Amino acid sequence: MASASAKLLHWFFDLIDIKYVCNDIGGITLSLPEVQKRGPARPNLYWRCQFDFQEFLVAGYPVFEAKPRLKSSTQNCKNHILFIHGGGYIWDLLSLHWRIISFLIEKTGASVTIPVYPLVPEHSWCAMHHMIKMTYLWMLNRYPHEKISIVGDSAGGGLSLALTQSFKKEGIVMPDKLVLFSPWLDISLSDPRQNEIESRDPLLNREGMLAIGKVYADGLPLNDPRISPLFGNMKNLPPIAVFSGTRDILNVDAHRLKTRIEKVGGKISFFEYPDMMHDWMGMPIPEAKKALEQAAIFLKKDINPDSLDVVSDAFYRREIF
């Protein structure tokens, strides 16, 4: 059962009808230039006290890097995360992403690199892939003997998987692990079972997402693995953790990914949260804390995936964080 704060958040999103505001392609097209002009969110003062923050330029685009400030046994491990933010390919890095990033830094001791990649409608999938790939290669050169994992949410989850599949094809060193939060894996939204969930999803609607996806595809068939990695090669991928909520229309595709990876003998840890909406792990609810703790454990250790369901009750208190 969802926590009281999660239910309140669902109610609020239903009240303001955010799923249609955020997915109205006509309205979005008109407002995008002004919104995108603001640029990506940067960490607030509280978060800057928790980690060191730097900015770089890679392939002509900004790249942020956040590193743990305090020295501890947890933070001595040489792990790094490439964080690919979501936002439907049209929105920049948001404050909810910094909530995820700061938690992962605290719990894993890893540094986190965040590419501020080009966005739709001015750019398409090809420009995004190139910029993020250049960032990953830059990280490989910067940390040649250390582990790099990729974490992505929503559209960033789809990018994470698609790019990893391309790395394998091109012979580029593969990431150590993948964590996909509410990933958008099929741009075509082809599974009819999504219709059953849409009325309960407080954030997403298929019509708006499909319109945005077609712009992102830039003429590619919508089932091309480069933009819909659900249809890509699942063999020999690194271990993957997928987090999905049952009130998210993309939950169907998360299950399809699980089936495909298991069919080829791949390693996947699947965390399904009842009554959770899209991208809940970036929201101020207790279920977010639990999911992020599970993700941190997955990133830090090579353990039995089944044991990741056992998280201390301290991380499931009914509190805002």
Side-chain angles (χ1 to χ4, degrees):
M1 181 183 294
S3 67
S5 51
K7 290 178 181 178
L8 182 62
L9 206 55
H10 291 161
W11 173 83
F12 175 72
F13 286 149
D14 284 336
L15 180 67
I16 63 175
D17 215 9
I18 194 171
K19 67 187 293 180
Y20 294 105
V21 172
C22 289
N23 293 280
D24 169 25
I25 189 63
I28 285 172
T29 302
L30 291 174
S31 63
L32 266 184
E34 202 59 38
V35 172
Q36 291 182 352
K37 194 184 297 183
R38 299 173 197 161
R42 285 169 168 76
N44 60 31
L45 182 60
Y46 172 78
W47 286 323
R48 283 177 184 253
C49 291
Q50 310 305 309
F51 51 74
D52 291 320
F53 176 74
Q54 289 182 283
E55 296 187 34
F56 302 90
L57 204 62
V58 175
Y61 289 91
V63 170
F64 298 155
E65 188 171 74
K67 289 188 173 182
R69 185 180 296 274
L70 302 176
K71 300 296 182 182
S72 70
S73 57
T74 302
Q75 294 163 339
N76 284 332
C77 60
K78 295 184 177 182
N79 291 330
H80 305 275
I81 295 170
L82 172 63
F83 183 83
I84 306 178
H85 72 81
Y89 305 109
I90 58 176
W91 282 291
D92 247 319
L93 190 70
L94 303 171
S95 58
L96 72 84
H97 295 124
W98 285 110
R99 186 185 295 275
I100 296 172
I101 292 164
S102 64
F103 191 97
L104 292 178
I105 291 173
E106 177 188 354
K107 295 300 179 180
T108 67
S111 68
V112 181
T113 301
I114 310 106
V116 182
Y117 57 82
L119 301 169
V120 163
E122 186 176 349
H123 303 277
S124 68
W125 71 272
C126 190
M128 296 184 199
H129 278 223
H130 176 72
M131 189 271 161
I132 299 170
K133 176 183 173 182
M134 290 300 101
T135 304
Y136 182 70
L137 293 174
W138 177 76
M139 291 180 70
L140 289 175
N141 184 64
R142 189 169 168 82
Y143 307 111
H145 306 297
E146 301 172 16
K147 293 180 179 180
I148 299 174
S149 295
I150 299 180
V151 177
D153 75 291
S154 190
L159 282 165
S160 299
L161 181 58
L163 282 160
T164 300
Q165 291 169 339
S166 74
F167 296 159
K168 179 179 63 175
K169 188 175 181 180
E170 296 174 34
I172 296 172
V173 175
M174 297 281 275
D176 186 56
K177 293 174 185 172
L178 291 181
V179 174
L180 311 179
F181 294 127
S182 300
W184 189 4
L185 303 167
D186 175 9
I187 291 297
S188 67
L189 301 167
S190 60
D191 197 308
R193 291 176 293 175
Q194 291 172 333
N195 291 325
E196 303 169 13
I197 302 174
E198 188 169 9
S199 62
R200 296 185 290 111
D201 188 324
L203 284 181
L204 305 179
N205 79 72
R206 296 173 76 238
E207 182 181 1
M209 292 178 68
L210 185 58
I212 294 168
K214 287 178 179 178
V215 179
Y216 170 69
D218 194 30
L220 280 185
L222 298 187
N223 62 353
D224 189 299
R226 288 171 290 182
I227 56 174
S228 294
L230 183 64
F231 305 111
N233 187 346
M234 302 297 174
K235 291 183 178 179
N236 303 316
L237 293 175
I240 299 176
V242 177
F243 292 79
S244 184
T246 61
R247 290 188 64 175
D248 180 356
I249 60 174
L250 301 182
N251 178 254
V252 173
D253 292 340
H255 278 276
R256 293 165 73 191
L257 175 65
K258 179 176 182 288
T259 299
R260 291 210 60 205
I261 290 178
E262 289 177 340
K263 189 174 181 179
V264 298
K267 297 179 180 179
I268 184 166
S269 301
F270 192 82
F271 304 96
E272 183 173 74
Y273 276 63
D275 297 322
M276 285 297 103
M277 70 182 90
H278 182 73
D279 243 5
W280 86 89
M281 59 292 300
M283 300 178 186
I285 55 177
E287 290 88 349
K289 182 174 283 188
K290 182 180 180 183
L292 292 175
E293 178 66 16
Q294 289 171 316
I297 293 172
F298 175 82
L299 289 166
K300 284 195 300 182
K301 298 179 180 179
D302 294 320
I303 59 176
N304 183 343
D306 294 335
S307 69
L308 293 174
D309 285 326
V310 182
V311 179
S312 168
D313 288 340
F315 294 103
Y316 201 57
R317 294 192 298 267
R318 297 296 192 260
E319 62 182 30
I320 301 297
F321 76 107

